[in-house]
Amino acid sequence: MSQTTLISRFIADARLEDLPPPVVGAAKRGFLDCLGCGVRGAGSRAARIVERLVDDAGKSEATLLASGGRRASVHGAILVNATAAHALDFDDTLTAPAAAAALAIAEARNLSGRDLLVAYALGCEIASRAADGMGGWDNERGWHMMGVAGGFGAAVAAGYLLRLSAEQIGHALGIAATQAAGLVAMHGFLAKPFHSGRAAESGYYGAELARHGCTAGPALEGPRSVFRAMGGEESPPLAKDLGRAWALLRSRLKPFPCGRLGHAAIEAVLKARAGAEFRLEDVASVRVRVNPRAQYLMGEPEPKTGTESMFSIGHAAAAAIVHGRVDPEHFTDEAVKDAAIAKFRRQTLVVPDERLKPGQAVAEITTRSGAQLTAEVAVQKGLPENPLTDADVRAKFLGLAEPVIGPKRSVEAADLVAGLEEIKDAGEIARRCG
């Protein structure tokens, strides 16, 4: 039996009872995280640009996040909400397409929280397996996993909620595969959040086309697979231990709104800054040692826009020095021009160190008297070995959502997600966040 068939049957037959309790908990954390990123990201320039493309006059099927109650077609809501969820670079860089597709379809079809929960968990699982098959997060071929693998997650979530047969789900995955794209070259540009919107749209179209009879070739295995076309092996083991080993248990939710490879550096600077001897006016220089790949992908020394600053370790370190925290407002055009941040950005030296693994960093703050405050991060927060907790994710969601939709609706939305399997109408979550 082909692995496409194995995967498709697994998805078509899945029920909430098939998900182990730890997977259910991880799915709730992941979905709440995506939701918060989407609510806050809805006001971003990237999301607004995409929203202008959605011409849904007369359509009222699904809610656009943080829009004052505006509704659109399912397709329009998926495209805009998925773009918004990635706009701050605060999401986990893979699962927003599955979340956006599942939420819009569940709302439009009056489906339950149980349905939404299973669809999201399955979408995350297959998207993660597809990403691994394309070289993983650290692939060296220049593919951005959000755009390339995210569409598989959206296709799975949509296919499950549209009640596709196993055969139709296989075609949906093939149609998603033939649309897979997303370049690391877009890091620092407004096109990058569109990777998420486009992936979500591709997956949804894949499921809808399959529902209406569109067929697809064997894209997940063999000499013409999407993995082979992208420079990898022909048939990576996508179905291995399916239903027994869950990717959601290795989630990578972010504590900071910028490129993940800069997070260890931020943590190290914040730890060094927390010393009792620290005084901002005494700082003479900052030296941060990071894994060479982190410097390669996030080494922009003088970003000119907020989007570029999300991929500048120097900027992130400077914001951490000045403010003692790193939040979305520190990666805006205004923050890039802020005199204090700009000053410390120039005083910060980022040094690649081959002795450090990804997720590790060392920060050294030198004072004008010559004293040195040093801190090391062995495993950055947010990696599977040091994950965000339920409390971390709820606090992150409330911090993102409250300035946009207010404390009452934010708490209500968080509570709805916490009890997702008990909700009869999953669309109530979207309406609370609209």
Side-chain angles (χ1 to χ4, degrees):
M1 186 182 299
S2 73
Q3 65 178 358
T4 301
T5 300
L6 289 170
I7 292 169
S8 300
R9 288 183 178 178
F10 175 76
I11 294 164
D13 295 339
R15 298 293 181 269
L16 181 62
E17 292 73 22
D18 300 327
L19 274 58
V23 173
V24 172
K28 290 180 181 179
R29 286 192 297 275
F31 184 80
L32 184 63
D33 189 83
C34 287
L35 188 65
C37 292
V39 170
R40 188 65 166 267
S44 68
R45 188 179 175 196
R48 294 302 188 200
I49 290 172
V50 170
E51 188 175 347
R52 292 191 191 103
L53 301 179
V54 177
D55 183 10
D56 279 343
K59 296 285 188 178
S60 184
E61 296 173 315
T63 301
L64 299 182
L65 297 175
S67 66
R70 181 185 170 192
R71 294 167 66 81
S73 66
V74 172
H75 158 258
I78 288 173
L79 176 62
V80 174
N81 291 344
T83 300
H86 192 49
L88 304 180
D89 226 279
F90 211 172
D91 58 305
D92 77 344
T93 320
L94 186 60
T95 61
L103 183 60
I105 296 170
E107 181 182 13
R109 297 173 72 89
N110 297 312
L111 300 176
S112 70
R114 291 170 66 92
D115 293 323
L116 173 60
L117 186 58
V118 176
Y120 174 76
L122 294 175
C124 293
E125 185 65 28
I126 303 307
S128 181
R129 287 169 180 257
D132 288 342
M134 292 173 186
W137 296 97
D138 298 322
N139 79 90
E140 306 253 342
R141 298 191 295 274
W143 296 114
H144 179 216
M145 285 300 107
M146 166 63 81
V148 174
F152 293 94
V156 166
Y160 181 81
L161 294 178
L162 293 173
R163 306 296 191 242
L164 300 190
S165 68
E167 182 181 7
Q168 289 172 320
I169 289 171
H171 291 311
L173 288 168
I175 299 168
T178 200
Q179 301 175 82
L183 299 176
V184 171
M186 298 303 111
H187 282 42
F189 297 90
L190 290 171
K192 183 174 182 283
F194 179 62
H195 288 173
S196 178
R198 187 68 183 92
E201 182 183 53
S202 297
Y204 172 65
Y205 274 143
E208 282 287 12
L209 287 167
R211 186 164 75 97
H212 287 86
C214 186
T215 59
L220 303 189
E221 53 204 322
R224 297 180 180 178
S225 74
V226 63
F227 308 104
R228 180 70 181 89
M230 291 187 167
E233 60 181 298
E234 291 184 359
S235 305
L238 302 184
K240 182 180 179 181
D241 294 327
L242 193 61
R244 294 188 295 274
W246 288 87
L248 269 173
L249 300 180
R250 298 182 284 108
S251 64
R252 296 153 52 98
L253 305 183
K254 286 183 174 183
F256 303 115
C258 61
R260 187 186 313 278
L261 292 175
H263 287 201
I266 295 171
E267 274 195 73
V269 169
L270 290 174
K271 285 177 67 175
R273 189 190 189 281
E277 309 90 343
F278 177 84
R279 294 199 313 167
L280 185 61
E281 59 270 25
D282 289 342
V283 175
S285 65
V286 181
R287 184 172 181 262
V288 184
R289 291 190 283 121
V290 298
N291 174 266
R293 184 167 176 78
Q295 167 66 351
Y296 170 68
L297 289 176
M298 293 196 59
E300 175 58 57
E302 278 297 326
K304 298 178 178 60
T305 67
T307 306
E308 286 185 1
S309 73
M310 295 175 183
F311 301 93
S312 170
I313 292 176
H315 176 88
I321 286 287
V322 173
H323 296 286
R325 56 188 176 85
V326 177
D327 293 324
E329 59 264 31
H330 301 138
F331 295 95
T332 62
D333 292 352
E334 292 74 22
V336 169
K337 298 172 185 175
D338 180 84
I341 292 179
K343 171 188 173 183
F344 283 101
R345 196 165 57 224
R346 290 189 294 270
Q347 291 177 312
T348 299
L349 178 65
V350 181
V351 180
D353 188 336
E354 293 183 354
R355 295 170 296 179
L356 297 176
K357 299 177 182 178
Q360 297 182 335
V362 178
E364 300 159 349
I365 300 175
T366 302
T367 68
R368 299 188 186 283
S369 66
Q372 194 169 79
L373 307 177
T374 302
E376 179 178 353
V377 170
V379 181
Q380 72 186 42
K381 187 72 172 176
L383 291 182
E385 300 82 6
N386 188 17
L388 269 63
T389 64
D390 287 353
D392 291 333
V393 176
R394 185 180 177 92
K396 176 181 173 180
F397 173 81
L398 295 177
L400 289 170
E402 286 181 354
V404 183
I405 61 174
K408 182 175 183 294
R409 289 167 62 195
S410 299
V411 169
E412 289 172 347
D415 289 344
L416 285 171
V417 176
L420 200 53
E421 62 269 59
E422 306 300 328
I423 300 173
K424 293 183 179 180
D425 179 7
E428 191 59 33
I429 298 170
R431 293 187 286 275
R432 284 286 194 284
C433 296

